[in-house]
Amino acid sequence: MIEDFLAQDERKDMLRLLTAGSVDDGKSTLIGRLLFDSKQVYEDQLQALSQESRRGSCGGTDYALLCDGLKAEREQGITIDVAYRYFATAQRKFIIADTPGHEQYTRNMVTGGSTADLAIVLVDARQGITTQTRRHSHIIDMLGIEHIVLAINKMDSIGYSAEQFNSIAKQYTAWATEQGFSFASLKIVPISALCGDNVVNRSQSMPWYNGPTLLEILESTPICSSGVSAPFRMPVQYVIRPNQDFRGFAGRIASGTIRVGDKITVLPSGKSSQVAQIITGTIRSTYAFAPQSVTIVLDDQIDISRGDMIVRSEQHRPAMGQKISAIVVWMDEEPMDREKLYYLKQGTLTVRATVRAIPYLLDINTGNKLECNTLSLNQIAAVEILCSSPLVCDSYSDNKGTGAFIIIDPLTNFTSAAGIITGAEAESTTDGNSVINISLSRHGIAIQNMELLNSFCKIVESRTGVTINCTE
Amino acid sequence: MDYNLSHLRALEAESIEIIREVAAEFSSPVMLYSIGKDSSVMAHLAKKAFYPGRVPFPLMHIDSKWKFSEMIAFRDRFARENDWELIVEYNRTAYEQGVGPFTHGSKVHTELMKTRALLDALKRYGFDAAFGGARRDEEKSRAKERIFSFRNTQQQWEPKSQRPELWNIYNTRIRKGESIRVFPLSNWTEIDIWQYIRHENIPVVPLYFAAERSVVDIDGNLILVDDMRMPKHLRERAERRKVRFRTLGCYPLTGAIESNADTIEGIVEEMILATRSERTTRVIDFDREASMEQKKREGYF
């Protein structure tokens, strides 16, 4: 019997989901309910809970405290960061990224959403669609999360009214259509997290609702397969070279599939070869696919190092260029500095980069485009970035694995921004705006590196036509 | 061709990517090895990550000098058979002063023999990245810790100003003296660990499996009589019971549970039926008198 369980458990797949909504929407209560009703809560945790919990109109325990993490958030009564929760059903394993919903926490939602296959947006039935609902929906669309579930919560407090539910659902659907969101699926479900209606167990109070419960939706949503159907991309992470006879290129397949014998091209060099061996773990495989971590051995001795990308020769090539168009979410308390030479990390490649232009700032509440000169915490904008050497990339909408990057502050090393690529260009134009000023002290570069920096700048200048001025 | 990845293989792929990223980006990484089941899995993943090459960093065990003797035997055999470079470090000063849980209480012991010993060792070797086997499902505060978790020059964690961690793009940049703790098993749950151990035939310390052992019931915690350092009045109360351990640490601080599970299948079965979380069998407070005194000094009664 236990063997059957283990055999079944082994075959389970894994869905990563994001929950968006504020404490007021009952988000922690919902997650607590999912954990409790799917029996992931232990007796000792329940004991700790029983004395502290609030009780709702239906007399149920509020499971919100199960999600309580750090002391600070407990004192403030709000979730301050991204927390990850784990639960499993007979069908599937789940990883929940639990993120706070207030505007000042946009960065946390983006963080939690970056790895999600599905997003639950909580709506308080008494409030209906709010500015916050719209903001969450825009972020989910931007991050390319395929599946969205609108959970209309607190149905108990509006007398389980079908009429009110339908009106909210209709309003949201109309708005989402108008925005042109590209979700693969949108499901709307009436729930009460506090009373347990339609979360795990079917509600007795809403006989008018015939659709699936929230958990049924989570269990049946197909897990993103676009990673496998996209062209093959593998950023080289590490070169394994135990002896003269073996040279393996290790990395995690960002997208697509590969077989022994396939013709490959290494970018940016453009050199080609054929796959001789594929190693997954300690065994040799005939094929591999995203998102496996593998080691690839080639037929020819060609020069490949970390930061290069292996692609399949006959497939659509990624873009290559130093000029990147992107949407960035600013995550740093320190506002964007247009003069700063940031680090940009995409895949396994880290380059230096400056923001050359900000075509527009996105009002995430309305979708409107505004003018702006700089970016501060939680703001989202379209930007033009110039990199010190070319990126090999795809647009994020085509390929999440090769279309995303982070920006790192060279002084504090903080992750200042998350970026999604919308386009890349190879040729650079000297348009008069292409001047970068580097102040060594400001960028945290020691004076003795001046000579090294100057020679580096010359290379950048010769390749891009950009003028770089270095000062102490 | 089958293009579906089971959850275990998905977790494995993620962990291997994390381990390789550290090897590529840091100049002096180390893998902290606690001899427990999670460490066994982590070390196994490291070998896979660099196969057929050698793992390019050492293992380090911080020996509190109060570990179960079976753990130490397992550790030495494990390192030898797997050709690991193993570093063993301990707090010499505190050890010579005879610090231990029975005499100094769990708090002082943990602080000196575990935390202090670890911080000193990391500093002495100048490691800039240290792998740990912690999982986010173990404890509430861990649920929020990043996979690449930044430590300042004092090696402290600041939960409120953690770097955002997006996609699988890890920020590995640090300044001199700062470091990163890396948790490749962040997304694994206890049951995943056992499933993987079973699937991959990974050896673990026999204490995880039920057997007849000499234990003393101390305030409801079953403590193994592992050596003669256990005070005589406690040792005299020892009785033979069939027990196993869900977690392993210092023997006076780690309670056993009564169990008949002597196979992985049995352990998983018990776990599914379990009503208590993993952590409740950990850390017993031997210094209650001391803390009462403390309370009194602070004005209690």
Side-chain angles (χ1 to χ4, degrees):
Chain A
M1 184 221 132
I2 186 67
E3 276 76 13
D4 294 343
F5 169 84
L6 287 165
Q8 188 201 26
D9 185 74
E10 223 173 66
R11 284 194 301 269
K12 285 176 193 170
D13 56 11
M14 195 161 73
L15 184 83
R16 293 178 188 240
L17 63 130
L18 165 78
T19 52
S22 72
V23 258
D24 313 327
D25 298 330
K27 183 171 55 63
S28 297
T29 306
L30 172 68
I31 296 171
R33 173 61 72 174
L34 275 172
L35 299 181
F36 178 75
D37 281 0
S38 61
K39 306 201 171 45
Q40 301 291 311
V41 180
Y42 293 106
E43 192 184 293
D44 51 316
Q45 291 171 324
L46 267 185
Q47 270 169 16
L49 191 76
S50 63
Q51 290 167 345
E52 296 173 74
S53 293
R54 292 163 284 162
R55 283 177 185 273
S57 56
C58 47
T61 306
D62 186 345
Y63 296 105
L65 287 166
L66 287 175
C67 298
D68 180 44
L70 303 179
K71 220 172 158 188
E73 78 167 16
R74 192 166 204 165
E75 281 154 10
Q76 292 166 24
I78 48 162
T79 316
I80 55 163
D81 205 278
V82 189
Y84 295 88
R85 322 276 174 203
Y86 303 82
F87 75 104
T89 65
Q91 313 297 322
R92 206 168 244 187
K93 299 251 173 184
F94 297 93
I95 301 179
I96 306 179
D98 177 10
T99 67
H102 297 297
E103 189 156 20
Q104 66 266 36
Y105 296 126
T106 294
R107 78 164 176 201
N108 296 333
M109 188 181 157
V110 172
T111 302
S114 67
T115 50
D117 305 304
L118 176 148
I120 300 173
V121 176
L122 268 169
V123 172
D124 184 333
R126 295 170 304 185
Q127 311 277 330
I129 305 303
T130 60
T131 303
Q132 183 168 277
T133 316
R134 294 189 189 97
R135 180 169 69 248
H136 292 159
S137 306
H138 275 294
I139 294 172
I140 289 162
D141 180 59
M142 180 184 80
L143 289 172
I145 300 172
E146 293 196 347
H147 308 280
I148 182 166
V149 181
L150 197 73
I152 317 284
N153 191 22
K154 304 194 182 177
M155 288 299 292
D156 57 311
S157 61
I158 57 160
Y160 297 106
S161 160
E163 205 178 316
Q164 284 190 55
F165 168 77
N166 288 329
S167 144
I168 298 171
K170 216 169 127 187
Q171 190 198 344
Y172 184 82
T173 313
W175 176 77
T177 313
E178 190 188 298
Q179 298 300 313
F181 291 149
S182 52
F183 305 129
S185 77
L186 163 65
K187 299 252 164 58
I188 307 181
V189 52
I191 65 165
S192 166
L194 195 59
C195 305
D197 295 287
N198 289 336
V199 178
V200 171
N201 303 310
R202 192 157 287 282
S203 171
Q204 303 299 312
S205 312
M206 291 178 274
W208 47 265
Y209 176 75
N210 300 315
T213 63
L214 183 61
L215 188 66
E216 282 165 3
I217 295 171
L218 299 185
E219 285 185 321
S220 61
T221 300
I223 289 171
C224 170
S225 53
S226 58
V228 170
S229 54
F232 177 79
R233 311 275 189 249
M234 191 186 91
V236 175
Q237 204 186 359
Y238 194 88
V239 181
I240 295 174
R241 219 178 166 179
N243 54 54
Q244 292 299 320
D245 307 324
F246 187 94
R247 207 167 133 89
F249 304 103
R252 188 149 185 210
I253 301 175
S255 63
T257 62
I258 191 138
R259 278 181 304 181
V260 170
D262 280 345
K263 287 193 164 57
I264 61 96
T265 301
V266 181
L267 298 174
S269 75
K271 288 183 182 127
S272 294
S273 184
Q274 247 183 328
V275 177
Q277 283 179 43
I278 299 172
I279 298 169
T280 49
T282 49
I283 51 169
R284 281 173 70 160
S285 309
T286 52
Y287 74 105
F289 55 96
Q292 285 183 308
S293 280
V294 298
T295 299
I296 292 176
V297 180
L298 301 175
D299 276 340
D300 310 280
Q301 290 270 345
I302 55 175
D303 187 35
I304 302 178
S305 50
R306 176 175 163 88
D308 289 342
M309 195 185 295
I310 299 177
V311 304
R312 263 166 66 184
S313 306
E314 84 285 5
Q315 288 180 330
H316 178 72
R317 295 282 172 94
M320 281 203 289
Q322 282 166 272
K323 267 178 70 182
I324 303 297
S325 307
I327 304 285
V328 297
V329 182
W330 203 254
M331 303 197 147
D332 203 333
E333 306 272 354
E334 192 85 15
M336 174 194 283
D337 182 347
R338 300 267 298 270
E339 306 279 296
K340 215 175 215 173
L341 200 54
Y342 288 100
Y343 287 102
L344 184 151
K345 187 172 182 186
Q346 174 246 2
T348 57
L349 182 70
T350 303
V351 299
R352 297 309 287 262
T354 53
V355 178
R356 295 207 324 169
I358 308 178
Y360 62 85
L361 177 79
L362 188 70
D363 181 339
I364 200 68
N365 294 328
T366 60
N368 292 338
K369 295 172 179 177
L370 312 169
E371 248 180 76
C372 86
N373 281 315
T374 185
L375 274 184
S376 53
L377 185 61
N378 292 316
Q379 286 188 323
I380 300 176
V383 295
E384 304 286 336
I385 294 173
L386 182 68
C387 302
S388 56
S389 53
L391 297 190
V392 179
C393 60
D394 294 281
S395 74
Y396 186 81
S397 56
D398 289 340
N399 199 319
K400 277 191 188 185
T402 54
F405 62 85
I406 58 169
I407 289 176
I408 301 167
D409 189 300
L411 214 56
T412 62
N413 287 328
F414 196 77
T415 305
S416 297
I420 60 179
I421 296 170
T422 51
E425 266 179 65
E427 71 277 23
S428 64
T429 49
T430 314
D431 55 9
N433 294 327
S434 317
V435 179
I436 299 173
N437 294 306
I438 300 176
S439 151
L440 267 64
S441 54
R442 222 165 118 207
H443 288 104
I445 305 167
I447 299 289
Q448 53 265 39
N449 293 327
M450 177 68 112
E451 204 176 317
L452 185 70
L453 185 70
N454 272 326
S455 53
F456 165 77
C457 291
K458 281 212 180 69
I459 299 169
V460 178
E461 283 180 352
S462 66
R463 290 208 192 155
T464 64
V466 179
T467 311
I468 307 177
N469 301 320
C470 294
T471 55
E472 288 188 6
Chain B
M1 266 176 251
D2 182 5
Y3 294 129
N4 292 309
L5 212 53
S6 73
H7 73 278
L8 277 184
R9 292 295 169 219
L11 289 169
E12 179 188 59
E14 179 182 77
S15 300
I16 288 176
E17 179 185 36
I18 292 162
I19 293 168
R20 285 172 173 167
E21 194 66 7
V22 170
E25 297 263 87
F26 290 88
S27 58
S28 183
V30 67
M31 184 168 272
L32 299 177
Y33 176 67
S34 74
I35 324 176
K37 62 184 190 303
D38 304 293
S39 280
S40 292
V41 167
M42 185 165 62
H44 183 80
L45 289 165
K47 288 188 75 175
K48 279 197 174 191
F50 303 102
Y51 178 86
R54 227 181 115 94
V55 180
F57 45 78
L59 285 183
M60 181 164 77
H61 178 230
I62 300 301
D63 193 349
S64 70
K65 296 289 184 186
W66 287 86
K67 300 292 177 195
F68 292 93
S69 43
E70 271 189 64
M71 290 173 73
I72 302 302
F74 181 91
R75 174 193 75 191
D76 295 341
R77 193 172 59 242
F78 174 82
R80 203 172 48 241
E81 285 173 4
N82 292 280
D83 194 25
W84 274 100
E85 181 190 346
L86 173 72
I87 299 169
V88 178
E89 282 295 326
Y90 65 99
N91 185 337
R92 284 178 173 73
T93 324
Y95 179 64
E96 275 153 24
Q97 285 165 2
V99 170
F102 290 120
T103 47
H104 293 71
S106 61
K107 203 164 160 252
V108 170
H109 168 71
T110 302
E111 164 60 28
L112 291 175
M113 298 306 285
K114 289 162 94 175
T115 312
R116 193 73 258 150
L118 170 66
L119 298 185
D120 288 350
L122 290 174
K123 205 171 157 188
R124 186 156 57 247
Y125 288 91
F127 292 125
D128 53 1
F131 291 101
R135 311 186 316 267
R136 285 178 179 149
D137 79 326
E138 271 178 275
E139 211 187 10
K140 280 181 185 172
S141 66
R142 286 199 173 146
K144 302 202 166 186
E145 188 155 9
R146 305 292 188 254
I147 292 172
F148 282 67
S149 189
F150 178 77
R151 293 293 186 279
N152 64 19
T153 47
Q154 270 73 53
Q155 312 209 35
Q156 284 157 334
W157 180 50
E158 188 46 73
K160 269 195 150 180
S161 60
Q162 297 191 81
R163 296 173 177 179
E165 194 162 75
L166 298 117
W167 297 288
N168 54 345
I169 311 176
Y170 303 106
N171 180 351
T172 55
R173 302 202 71 86
I174 50 166
R175 283 179 291 197
K176 207 169 155 46
E178 297 169 340
S179 60
I180 303 266
R181 299 279 170 87
V182 187
F183 303 103
L185 305 180
S186 286
N187 287 323
W188 296 59
T189 62
E190 192 184 6
I191 204 162
D192 297 331
I193 295 287
W194 282 117
Q195 267 285 21
Y196 193 71
I197 287 170
R198 176 177 176 264
H199 201 269
E200 303 275 309
N201 265 319
I202 300 171
V204 292
V205 183
L207 289 166
Y208 283 115
F209 302 102
E212 287 260 333
R213 296 185 170 98
S214 283
V215 291
V216 187
D217 185 330
I218 304 175
D219 300 334
N221 294 290
L222 300 177
I223 303 301
L224 187 81
V225 183
D226 200 59
D227 60 35
M228 298 304 276
R229 290 180 295 176
M230 180 184 272
K232 197 166 170 246
H233 71 276
L234 293 174
R235 271 198 329 263
E236 281 168 358
R237 288 175 20 212
E239 51 190 321
R240 298 290 288 176
R241 292 213 210 168
K242 194 163 187 190
V243 296
R244 67 177 181 89
F245 294 85
R246 267 184 95 176
T247 62
L248 295 179
C250 300
Y251 86 81
L253 302 177
T254 310
I257 52 169
E258 287 199 89
S259 164
N260 286 313
D262 49 13
T263 59
I264 291 177
E265 289 75 15
I267 289 172
V268 173
E269 193 165 11
E270 278 192 4
M271 206 182 346
I272 303 167
L273 303 170
T275 55
R276 286 189 173 271
S277 58
E278 204 175 353
R279 286 264 140 194
T280 53
T281 57
R282 256 280 174 82
V283 179
I284 297 128
D285 201 3
F286 281 101
D287 51 356
R288 211 163 333 138
E289 280 88 10
S291 53
M292 183 59 81
E293 191 188 311
Q294 181 70 24
K295 276 185 194 162
K296 278 180 182 170
R297 258 189 278 144
E298 284 162 7
Y300 184 71
F301 273 25

